[in-house]
Amino acid sequence: MHDPAVPSTPAQATAAPAPSPTDLVLHQASNRLEVVFSDGRTFSLPCEFLRVHSPSAEVRGHGPGEGTLQVGKREVTITDIEPVGTYAVKLVFSDGHDTGIFSWALLYDYGMKQDTMWARYLQRLEAAKGTR
């Protein structure tokens, strides 16, 4: 007999929501955005990392394989942080980029995967003979 409290198919399963942010601090001297979450995790995300992984269509493209490798972003900073409802922030970067909406869930995911994402970015950059 099927227990109605247990999803019978993966499509019925729902992922737990990401913890909510409790603090957001831009450290201008180190060019890092610190995000503290309700589960006690704190992530310190470099501005360059956030810029090259912006969730904008300009960076990611509109479909698989359409993304654009971001180069020359080593010195980029965040010049403004604008709230987007209660679920995200829009980061404004010193190079004029301002179209990425960073949800709390995305920032949490980036924090959890930062090392892997950064290594992959550096590999792609090297393969393309690009510079940071």
Side-chain angles (χ1 to χ4, degrees):
M1 174 177 250
H2 175 70
D3 180 350
V6 178
S8 61
T9 66
Q12 292 175 327
T14 57
S20 58
T22 59
D23 202 11
L24 183 70
V25 179
L26 178 60
H27 296 281
Q28 294 178 328
S30 62
N31 283 332
R32 293 180 161 284
L33 182 66
E34 180 179 291
V35 189
V36 181
F37 285 92
S38 58
D39 67 351
R41 286 196 167 98
T42 299
F43 301 114
S44 180
L45 303 167
C47 296
E48 178 187 11
F49 172 85
L50 292 166
R51 175 60 180 87
V52 302
H53 291 98
S54 172
S56 70
E58 173 189 330
V59 174
R60 288 192 176 180
H62 292 283
E66 292 184 5
T68 303
L69 180 64
Q70 301 296 297
V71 298
K73 304 299 180 188
R74 182 190 302 259
E75 303 298 323
V76 76
T77 62
I78 294 172
T79 60
D80 197 14
I81 301 172
E82 301 172 7
V84 178
T86 58
Y87 73 95
V89 288
K90 179 172 92 167
L91 302 179
V92 179
F93 294 92
S94 58
D95 65 352
H97 180 71
D98 67 353
T99 57
I101 305 295
F102 292 79
S103 70
W104 301 127
L106 181 71
L107 287 170
Y108 191 88
D109 188 55
Y110 279 10
M112 294 296 289
K113 299 175 181 174
Q114 180 179 354
D115 292 341
T116 302
M117 290 172 67
W118 187 246
R120 189 175 305 130
Y121 168 73
L122 292 177
Q123 289 171 348
R124 288 182 61 215
L125 197 62
E126 183 178 348
K129 301 193 184 331
T131 59
R132 292 180 43 212

